[in-house]
Amino acid sequence: MVDLSKLTLGLEGRSELIVADEHTAPRIGSGRVRVLATPVMINLMEAAALDAAENLIPAGYQSLGIRLDVRHIAATPVGMRVRATAKLTSVNGRTLEFWVEARDQKELIGDGSHQRIIVNVARFDQRLQAKVAGV
């Protein structure tokens, strides 16, 4: 059993960027309006969760995203800063749950929950290699 005692409720992480053309919906392929793309906002949220907890997971283990339930509620133009935050709200066995939010310089642009599961890297890689070999 992996020791997750360092993963205490309330841990927080953040990630940010200044929206550039490469972060927009047309460039990502998720829409036609030249604003922050939803997949980029989601990536920032996942990065914030990693910032909160990944360095506290024991060697030989890492977390993988398994669920996202988020809203993208406001558009952000090119040139504006976006900051995502994640707060650890639950540790249930190997599953971590975070409340995530993204804000631009004016308002909340997205929020929701994000789950990550902690895996043994060596075992995960063995399963992955078996999957590749079976193709």
Side-chain angles (χ1 to χ4, degrees), residues 95-106:
T95 303
L96 310 178
E97 185 155 348
F98 298 86
W99 178 255
V100 291
E101 292 185 352
R103 294 179 176 275
D104 62 23
Q105 293 167 248
K106 300 288 184 185

Side-chain angles (χ1 to χ4, degrees), residues 21-101:
D21 194 56
E22 64 263 22
H23 304 124
T24 63
R27 289 289 294 275
I28 298 296
S30 67
R32 295 185 181 149
V33 181
R34 194 172 166 261
V35 295
L36 178 70
T38 301
V40 174
M41 181 191 74
I42 288 169
N43 178 257
L44 281 174
M45 291 171 163
E46 282 200 284
L50 285 171
D51 183 57
E54 200 70 15
N55 65 334
L56 299 173
I57 296 173
Y61 292 84
Q62 67 183 40
S63 70
L64 302 174
I66 58 170
R67 183 178 177 129
L68 283 159
D69 182 8
V70 298
R71 319 181 290 163
H72 193 173
I73 56 178
T76 303
V78 170
M80 193 169 276
R81 180 180 306 276
V82 174
R83 174 178 282 176
T85 57
K87 184 174 186 176
L88 184 61
T89 58
S90 172
V91 178
N92 185 6
R94 296 181 301 124
T95 303
L96 310 178
E97 185 155 348
F98 298 86
W99 178 255
V100 291
E101 292 185 352

